[in-house]
C-alpha cells in the first residue's frame, strides 16, 4: 500500500479542479457544475479511504513537497535558519479526518441536486465553485505538515465561508452575515498569526512532526529550564499556545468569538451543513488536536481550553432553548457541541475530543441536511411554529432526523452518547483533583439537560402535532438526491459510536476501544503523535469515586438522567396537538436569552465605545505630533529653499559680487578669530 501515498496530493487537488471547472464552464454544464463537484469529492473520498486502509496496515506518510522560502535568522533556541515549506502529513488523525471531510462534502454535493438545482436557484456555478474551493481548503488544511501551511489554508477556509454565507448577495442579511463571519474570525486569526511568528522565531521550525518539530523543541527547552524572550520556557509555550488558540476560538465559534455563527445561517442550508460538520467550525478543534502535544506541555493552557469549552457548551445551549428558527437552534447546538470537544481536549481527553468531532460531523450534517429537507417540504419556511404534522408526510426525513436528534441529545445507544459521555467522564476524573476542571465539568453536565430540551423541542414542534400552516398541510415533495444522504448519515448517527465503547471496556473489560487503539498508533503512527505519547506529557492527576467502575456509572448515569430529563420536559410541553409558546413565562430572563445575552450589542459597544475613540485619539496624535514634526521639518526646508533660490539670478556680475562678498566676510571672520584687529 505504500505507493498509494503518491496520490495523496490529489485528495485536495480534485475539488480544486472542480472549482476551476464550475467557475469557468459551469453555466454550460448539465446541473451547472454539480457533476464535477460530485465526481471530485467522490474521488477524494475514495483516495481518503485508501489512505485510511494504508495507515491501518501500519504505514504513515510525511513528505515535504516544496520549499518556497528560507531564511538565515537564528531562533531563540539557537537553531540557525528556517525553511517554509508545503508538505503532507498523513497519520491516524489526518487519515480519519480526511474521510470525514470528503464524505460530508460528497453528501452535501449530492444533496444540493435536490436542494439547490431542483428548487431553481440562480448562480449555481458560483455555488458549486465555492463548495469545491471550500473542500479543497479544508482537505489541504487537514494534511498540512506545518503550522504556517495550516494557517494559510485556515485563512482560505475563512474566505470560502465568506463567499458561501453571502451566496444570496442580493439580500440585505446575507452579505451582512458574511462580513460579520469574516471580521470576527479575522480578529481571532490576528492572534493566530502572531502565534505562528512567535513559534517560528522561538524554535526555528513550524513542523508538526519529527525530531525537528516545534513540539519537540519546546519540550527540550522546558526540560533544559532556559528562558525564552524573558520568560521561562513553559510560560512562553503557554503564551504562544494561547495566541494560536485565538484563531481556534474564532473558527470554532467559542466564547467570546461565537457571535458570527448564528448569523451564518443566512447562507444555503447545505453550506451550513458543510461549515458546521466538517470544515470551518471543525478546523479550530482539529488544529488543537493536531498540535495537542504542544498544548499538553502547558497545563495552564489546557485548563483555559477546558473552562472556555465547558462555559461555551452551557452558554450556547441556553440560547438554543428559545429559538424558533430551526436552523438557529442547530447553530447554537453547534457552538455548544464544539464546546464539549474543547472541554474534552482541555482535560487531556484527546481520544474523547476526536471521537466527538467524528460523531458530531455525522449527526450534525444529518440534522442540517434534515433541516434543509424540512425547508423544502415547507416551501422554504424555517419557523418551527408554522410546521407540525410532518412525521407521517415525510417518514424518511423524520426518522433520519430523529436519529440525529437522539445522537445530539446524548441518548444511549446513539453515537453522540458514547463520545459526549467519554468527554464528561474524562472531565469528571480530572475535576476530582482540579477545582477549575470540576467547574468546567459542572457546566458541561448542566448543558446536557438544555441540549435534550432544545433538541426534542425542535423535533416535536417540527414533526409532531397538527399542521400549523398551509405549507405544513401540503408539503412539497422531495426526491432521492435529498433522501439518500439523509439515510447514509442516519445510519452513521446510529452506529458510529461503536468505534469507541470506552464505558463498556471499563465495566466489562471487553476490548471495544477501536478509536483509542487507532489514535494510539497500534495500527500505524508517527512517533510522538500518539495518544500514549500525549498522555506522558500531561500534568493532570485523576481521581475516582470508590472504584473506576463506580465512577463510570456515576458519570454516565448523571449524563443520561439529565438528557432524559430535558427530553422529557420537551415531550411534556411540546408533544401535544397544539403546542403553545412558554417564553413569556420566563420574564426578563427570557428576554435576555432571546437577545443572546446582548453579546452583539456588547461587541458593538466595544467597537464604537472603546476601539473607535482609541483609534481616533491615535489618529489625532499621528496627525498632530508625528505628522506635525515631519511637516514642520519640511516646511522649514521649503521656506529656506524659497529664500535661497532668490540669489540664483543667472547674472554673472551678481555671482561675482557674492563671491567677493563671501571672501571679504571670510577674511573678517578669520581675522577676528585670529586676533588680527587687536
Amino acid at each position: 500500500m505504500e505507493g498509494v501515498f503518491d496520490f495523496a496530493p490529489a485528495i485536495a487537488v480534485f475539488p480544486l479542479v472542480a472549482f476551476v471547472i464550475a467557475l469557468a464552464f459551469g453555466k454550460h454544464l448539465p446541473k451547472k457544475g454539480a457533476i464535477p463537484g460530485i465526481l471530485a469529492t467522490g474521488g477524494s473520498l475514495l483516495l481518503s479511504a485508501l489512505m485510511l486502509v494504508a495507515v491501518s496496515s501500519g504505514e504513515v506518510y510525511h513528505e515535504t513537497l516544496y520549499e518556497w522560502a528560507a531564511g538565515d535568522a537564528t531562533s531563540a533556541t539557537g537553531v540557525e535558519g528556517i525553511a517554509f515549506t508545503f508538505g503532507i502529513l498523513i497519520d491516524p488523525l489526518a487519515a480519519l479526518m480526511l474521510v470525514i471531510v470528503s464524505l460530508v462534502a460528497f453528501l452535501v454535493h449530492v444533496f444540493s441536486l435536490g436542494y439547490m438545482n431542483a428548487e431553481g436557484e440562480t448562480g449555481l456555478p458560483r455555488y458549486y465553485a465555492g463548495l469545491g474551493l471550500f473542500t479543497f481548503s479544508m482537505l489541504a488544511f487537514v494534511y498540512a505538515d506545518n503550522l504556517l501551511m495550516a494557517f494559510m489554508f485556515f485563512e482560505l477556509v475563512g474566505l470560502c465561508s465568506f463567499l458561501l454565507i453571502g451566496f444570496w448577495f442580493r439580500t440585505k442579511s446575507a452579505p451582512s452575515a458574511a462580513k460579520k463571519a469574516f471580521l470576527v474570525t479575522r480578529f481571532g486569526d490576528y492572534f493566530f498569526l502572531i502565534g505562528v511568528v512567535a513559534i517560528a522565531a522561538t524554535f526555528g521550525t513550524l513542523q508538526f512532526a519529527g525530531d525537528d518539530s516545534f513540539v519537540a523543541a519546546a519540550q527540550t527547552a522546558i526540560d533544559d529550564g532556559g528562558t525564552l524572550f524573558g520568560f521561562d520556557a513553559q510560560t512562553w509555550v503557554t503564551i504562544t499556545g494561547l495566541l494560536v488558540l485565538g484563531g481556534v476560538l474564532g473558527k470554532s465559534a467559542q466564547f467570546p468569538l461565537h457571535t458570527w455563527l448564528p448569523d451564518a445561517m443566512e447562507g444555503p442550508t447545505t453550506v451550513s451543513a458543510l461549515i458546521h460538520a466538517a470544515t470551518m467550525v471543525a478546523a479550530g478543534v482539529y488544529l488543537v488536536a493536531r498540535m495537542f502535544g504542544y498544548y499538553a506541555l502547558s497545563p495552564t493552557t489546557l485548563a483555559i481550553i477546558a473552562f472556555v469549552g465547558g462555559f461555551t457548551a452551557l452558554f450556547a445551549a441556553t440560547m438554543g432553548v428559545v429559538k424558533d428558527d430551526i436552523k438557529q437552534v442547530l447553530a447554537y447546538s453547534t457552538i455548544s457541541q464544539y464546546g464539549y470537544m474543547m472541554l474534552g481536549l482541555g482535560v487531556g481527553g484527546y481520544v474523547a475530543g476526536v471521537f466527538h468531532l467524528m460523531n458530531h460531523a455525522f449527526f450534525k450534517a444529518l440534522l442540517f441536511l434534515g433541516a434543509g429537507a424540512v425547508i423544502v417540504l415547507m416551501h422554504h419556511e424555517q419557523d418551527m411554529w408554522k410546521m407540525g404534522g410532518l412525521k407521517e408526510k415525510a417518514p424518511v426525513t423524520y426518522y433520519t432526523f430523529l436519529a440525529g436528534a437522539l445522537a445530539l441529545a446524548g441518548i444511549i445507544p446513539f453515537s453522540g452518547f458514547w463520545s459526549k459521555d467519554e468527554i464528561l467522564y474524562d472531565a469528571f476524573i480530572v475535576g476530582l483533583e482540579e477545582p477549575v476542571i470540576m467547574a468546567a465539568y459542572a457546566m458541561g453536565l448542566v448543558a446536557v439537560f438544555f441540549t435534550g430540551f432544545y433538541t426534542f423541542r425542535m423535533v416535536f414542534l417540527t414533526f409532531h402535532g397538527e399542521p400549523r400552516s398551509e405549507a405544513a398541510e401540503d408539503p412539497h415533495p422531495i426526491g432521492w438526491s435529498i433522501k439518500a444522504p439523509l439515510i447514509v448519515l442516519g445510519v452513521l448517527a446510529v452506529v458510529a459510536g461503536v468505534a469507541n465503547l470506552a464505558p463498556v471496556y471499563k465495566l466489562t473489560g471487553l476490548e471495544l476501544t477501536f478509536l483509542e487503539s487507532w489514535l494510539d498508533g497500534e495500527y500505524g503512527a508517527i512517533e510522538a503523535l500518539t495518544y500514549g505519547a500525549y498522555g506522558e506529557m500531561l500534568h493532570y492527576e485523576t481521581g475516582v469515586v470508590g472504584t473506576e467502575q463506580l465512577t463510570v456509572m456515576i458519570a454516565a448515569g448523571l449524563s443520561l438522567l439529565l438528557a432524559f430529563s430535558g427530553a422529557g420536559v420537551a415531550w411534556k410541553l411540546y408533544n401535544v396537538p397544539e403546542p403553545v409558546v412558554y417564553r413569556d413565562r420566563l420574564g426578563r430572563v427570557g428576554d435576555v436569552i432571546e437577545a443572546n445575552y446582548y453579546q452583539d450589542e456588547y461587541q458593538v459597544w466595544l467597537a464604537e465605545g472603546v476601539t473607535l475613540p482609541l483609534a481616533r485619539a491615535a489618529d489625532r496624535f499621528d496627525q498632530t505630533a508625528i505628522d506635525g514634526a515631519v511637516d514642520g521639518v519640511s516646511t522649514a526646508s521649503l521656506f529656506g529653499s524659497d529664500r535661497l533660490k532668490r540669489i540664483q539670478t543667472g547674472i554673472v556680475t551678481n555671482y561675482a559680487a557674492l563671491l567677493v562678498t563671501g571672501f571679504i566676510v571670510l577674511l573678517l571672520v578669520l581675522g577676528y578669530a585670529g586676533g588680527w584687529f587687536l
Side-chain angles (χ1 to χ4, degrees):
M1 293 292 293
E2 186 175 351
V4 75
F5 290 117
D6 295 336
F7 299 99
I11 295 175
V13 170
F14 281 164
L16 181 63
V17 172
F19 156 72
V20 174
I21 293 174
L23 196 63
F25 311 108
K27 63 182 180 180
H28 305 295
L29 295 175
K31 305 299 181 182
K32 305 301 181 183
I35 303 304
I38 292 172
L39 294 176
T41 52
S44 295
L45 176 59
L46 177 61
L47 287 177
S48 297
L50 290 176
M51 301 298 154
L52 196 74
V53 173
V55 172
S56 68
S57 66
E59 300 169 11
V60 291
Y61 184 69
H62 184 199
E63 190 72 30
T64 297
L65 302 180
Y66 178 65
E67 181 179 308
W68 55 273
D72 297 327
T74 301
S75 71
T77 54
V79 177
E80 295 184 359
I82 183 171
F84 301 107
T85 63
F86 289 121
I88 294 178
L89 170 63
I90 298 180
D91 66 341
L93 175 63
L96 176 65
M97 195 65 186
L98 287 173
V99 171
I100 293 170
V101 174
S102 54
L103 173 61
V104 173
F106 173 72
L107 294 176
V108 166
H109 275 81
V110 173
F111 189 93
S112 296
L113 290 173
Y115 188 80
M116 299 294 286
N117 293 69
E119 294 298 299
E121 291 289 348
T122 58
L124 288 175
R126 176 167 49 87
Y127 167 78
Y128 285 110
L131 288 186
L133 188 62
F134 208 178
T135 307
F136 156 73
S137 304
M138 187 62 189
L139 290 171
F141 168 77
V142 166
Y143 63 32
D145 78 331
N146 65 84
L147 192 57
L148 183 58
M149 179 179 172
F151 174 77
M152 291 177 176
F153 287 105
F154 199 74
E155 293 304 291
L156 194 53
V157 165
L159 173 63
C160 294
S161 69
F162 168 78
L163 297 173
L164 287 169
I165 292 169
F167 173 73
W168 287 309
F169 62 89
R170 290 182 178 87
T171 67
K172 201 172 179 182
S173 55
S176 177
K179 287 185 286 185
K180 183 177 181 180
F182 190 78
L183 292 173
V184 172
T185 56
R186 284 301 71 68
F187 180 78
D189 291 346
Y190 289 138
F191 294 100
F192 185 3
L193 178 58
I194 295 170
V196 172
V197 173
I199 290 173
T202 303
F203 305 113
T205 178
L206 292 168
Q207 292 292 317
F208 287 128
D211 294 334
D212 61 343
S213 70
F214 64 88
V215 179
Q219 188 166 21
T220 300
I222 292 173
D223 292 341
D224 291 344
T227 60
L228 300 170
F229 297 101
F231 299 91
D232 66 84
Q234 190 170 67
T235 300
W236 185 246
V237 168
T238 298
I239 292 170
T240 52
L242 289 174
L243 286 170
V244 174
L245 186 64
V248 172
L249 297 181
K251 282 291 192 294
S252 288
Q254 298 296 284
F255 180 86
L257 302 181
H258 64 282
T259 53
W260 66 270
L261 192 59
D263 289 14
M265 298 303 96
E266 292 297 332
T269 307
T270 45
V271 171
S272 300
L274 196 57
I275 287 176
H276 289 240
T279 53
M280 183 164 172
V281 191
V285 170
Y286 177 80
L287 181 62
V288 175
R290 178 76 286 169
M291 53 186 290
F292 188 77
Y294 194 72
Y295 286 115
L297 296 172
S298 172
T300 301
T301 307
L302 282 181
I304 291 172
I305 291 172
F307 191 84
V308 170
F311 177 78
T312 304
L314 177 59
F315 188 66
T318 59
M319 289 184 277
V321 302
V322 298
K323 301 304 176 186
D324 297 330
D325 185 313
I326 188 171
K327 289 177 65 176
Q328 287 282 315
V329 175
L330 292 175
Y332 283 103
S333 79
T334 296
I335 299 172
S336 181
Q337 294 304 304
Y338 278 99
Y340 278 113
M341 295 174 213
M342 295 289 281
L343 172 62
L345 292 169
V347 301
Y350 174 71
V351 173
V354 173
F355 189 24
H356 201 53
L357 179 64
M358 178 188 78
N359 286 338
H360 179 265
F362 298 143
F363 69 69
K364 187 50 61 70
L366 169 60
L367 289 170
F368 265 110
L369 294 184
V374 169
I375 291 168
V376 172
L377 288 165
M378 290 294 301
H379 304 273
H380 295 274
E381 176 60 63
Q382 296 179 200
D383 187 345
M384 295 186 296
W385 288 102
K386 296 180 180 178
M387 299 179 187
L390 296 178
K391 176 182 176 181
E392 290 77 17
K393 298 174 182 178
V396 172
T397 301
Y398 171 69
Y399 286 107
T400 54
F401 194 92
L402 181 62
L406 289 164
L408 172 60
I411 303 298
I412 194 170
F414 292 82
S415 61
F417 164 77
W418 302 105
S419 51
K420 187 188 293 184
D421 177 74
E422 192 171 345
I423 287 171
L424 291 172
Y425 172 78
D426 287 343
F428 182 52
I429 61 175
V430 175
L432 291 172
E433 302 293 331
E434 300 283 346
V436 172
I437 302 302
M438 181 55 76
Y441 163 75
M443 290 186 287
L445 186 63
V446 174
V448 172
F449 172 83
F450 290 106
T451 303
F453 177 78
Y454 70 64
T455 300
F456 281 93
R457 173 179 178 267
M458 173 177 61
V459 171
F460 294 139
L461 286 179
T462 302
F463 293 98
H464 289 228
E466 297 298 325
R468 294 184 292 277
S469 68
E470 292 183 7
E473 291 177 354
D474 184 25
H476 187 285
I478 57 175
W480 279 103
S481 61
I482 288 180
K483 293 178 182 178
L486 294 180
I487 293 171
V488 172
L489 291 168
V491 171
L492 289 172
V494 175
V495 305
V498 178
N500 207 66
L501 301 178
V504 176
Y505 169 67
K506 291 182 174 69
L507 292 173
T508 66
L510 294 175
E511 293 282 354
L512 298 175
T513 52
F514 306 111
L515 183 63
E516 182 176 326
S517 299
W518 175 263
L519 295 174
D520 201 24
E522 291 189 16
Y523 301 95
I526 293 175
E527 188 178 358
L529 296 185
T530 64
Y531 174 54
Y534 295 148
E536 294 175 2
M537 301 165 71
L538 292 170
H539 297 269
Y540 285 136
E541 298 290 335
T542 60
V544 294
V545 179
T547 64
E548 183 182 52
Q549 290 77 12
L550 178 60
T551 308
V552 169
M553 288 190 288
I554 290 173
L558 286 173
S559 175
L560 280 173
L561 176 64
L562 287 170
F564 278 113
S565 297
V569 172
W571 175 81
K572 179 68 174 176
L573 296 179
Y574 297 104
N575 190 28
V576 294
E578 296 293 338
V580 297
V581 179
Y582 292 95
R583 187 184 307 123
D584 294 341
R585 301 185 186 183
L586 297 175
R588 180 60 180 164
V589 174
D591 294 338
V592 172
I593 298 174
E594 178 66 24
N596 304 324
Y597 297 97
Y598 301 106
Q599 287 295 296
D600 286 322
E601 289 80 0
Y602 162 72
Q603 291 185 355
V604 170
W605 171 84
L606 194 63
E608 296 181 349
V610 179
T611 306
L612 187 58
L614 287 175
R616 285 173 174 166
D619 181 58
R620 283 195 296 270
F621 178 77
D622 178 63
Q623 292 187 25
T624 55
I626 306 300
D627 286 352
V630 174
D631 292 344
V633 171
S634 64
T635 300
S637 175
L638 288 170
F639 178 80
S641 62
D642 182 65
R643 295 299 181 268
L644 287 174
K645 74 179 182 180
R646 297 180 183 181
I647 67 175
Q648 300 292 333
T649 63
I651 301 173
V652 176
T653 54
N654 289 351
Y655 296 154
L658 287 172
L659 286 172
V660 171
T661 302
F663 181 68
I664 292 172
V665 171
L666 181 61
L667 285 176
L668 290 173
V669 171
L670 291 174
Y672 179 79
W676 297 349
F677 305 115
L678 299 177

